[in-house]
Amino acid sequence: LGMSRRSFPFASRKSVKEKAVLRLREFDVGDKFSRLPLPKASVLLPLMVREGKLHLLLTVRSMQLRRSPGEVCFPGGKSEAIDKDEIDTALREAKEEVGLQPEKVEVICRLVPGIDKMNHLVTPVVGFIEDTFQAIPNPDEVSDIFIVPLEYFVKPLNYKTLPYKTSSGHLSWVHCFTYDDHEHKMSFRIWGLTAHFAVFLALVIFGKRPTFEVDYDLDNLISSSENNFMNLYASLYERKKSNL
């Protein structure tokens, strides 16, 4: 074969990443939803390749924060006037929260947005970072940083659904994963919009059925994810009208 043992992990790392990038580009929504009249927020979904497998970086919100203290989330936050677009917002917030320099992120795409409990339009921005990245958590915002294999979000060891009441009083169900991190000797609970984005990212990249129920048509993932979002947005819009 004429290939030294040492060069092999690099070759496999490249193909794992290249395959993921090709899949992600098919699902790039660009600025398709950017004009919707909702306050904007963005999160960065930081992917890395470790030991030939894709992993996601997640953070735990500081206990000092007013909103959702101690909850697992992606680096991100509300859009500011200085941000050109959703990508700018995600990169700026990631730098503030975990010390990730924007030039160290290879941004791949924006995926279908979600709507958080404060009715922000939240855009997930997917980017690759080096597996050598040393996070510097900003203690005012982040209490912990951990890494989860992406595959966990289609084949979890510990999964349940939680009932969740939306701001309109509508009852729905959300994904809830418990991930045992051996490095930290801790368990992390990943649920809500964060879990929703992680699951969708895993479905996009792996293209296989998860071991639990999802409300997508997996044979038409692009159109069904956009339809789900537009239905969610329409129900919010109807509510706003009825509250006027």
Side-chain angles (χ1 to χ4, degrees), residues 227-240:
N227 290 343
N228 284 6
F229 170 73
M230 286 317 291
N231 291 340
L232 178 69
Y233 175 69
S235 69
L236 179 77
Y237 194 74
E238 282 305 307
R239 234 174 31 237
K240 277 191 170 159

Side-chain angles (χ1 to χ4, degrees), residues 117-129:
K117 28 186 192 284
M118 312 291 288
N119 291 339
H120 286 91
L121 180 75
V122 185
T123 300
V125 175
V126 185
F128 271 90
I129 62 173

Side-chain angles (χ1 to χ4, degrees), residues 35-88:
R35 287 166 200 71
L36 293 178
L38 290 175
K40 306 276 188 289
S42 286
V43 289
L44 181 67
L45 278 49
L47 280 170
M48 60 175 77
V49 183
R50 248 188 201 179
E51 290 158 6
K53 285 195 163 75
L54 293 167
H55 288 69
L56 258 182
L57 179 139
L58 289 138
T59 70
V60 181
R61 289 172 65 84
S62 157
M63 290 310 279
Q64 284 110 310
L65 291 170
R66 278 205 319 269
R67 236 166 37 98
S68 314
E71 290 205 353
V72 169
C73 64
F74 290 111
K78 289 199 285 261
S79 162
E80 288 180 10
I82 51 167
D83 302 333
K84 284 200 304 287
D85 57 15
E86 296 95 345
I87 294 170
D88 258 18

Side-chain angles (χ1 to χ4, degrees), residues 91 95 100-107 128-129:
L91 295 177
K95 184 181 174 183
L100 178 61
Q101 298 300 326
E103 63 275 10
K104 298 277 187 205
V105 184
E106 184 189 339
V107 174
F128 271 90
I129 62 173

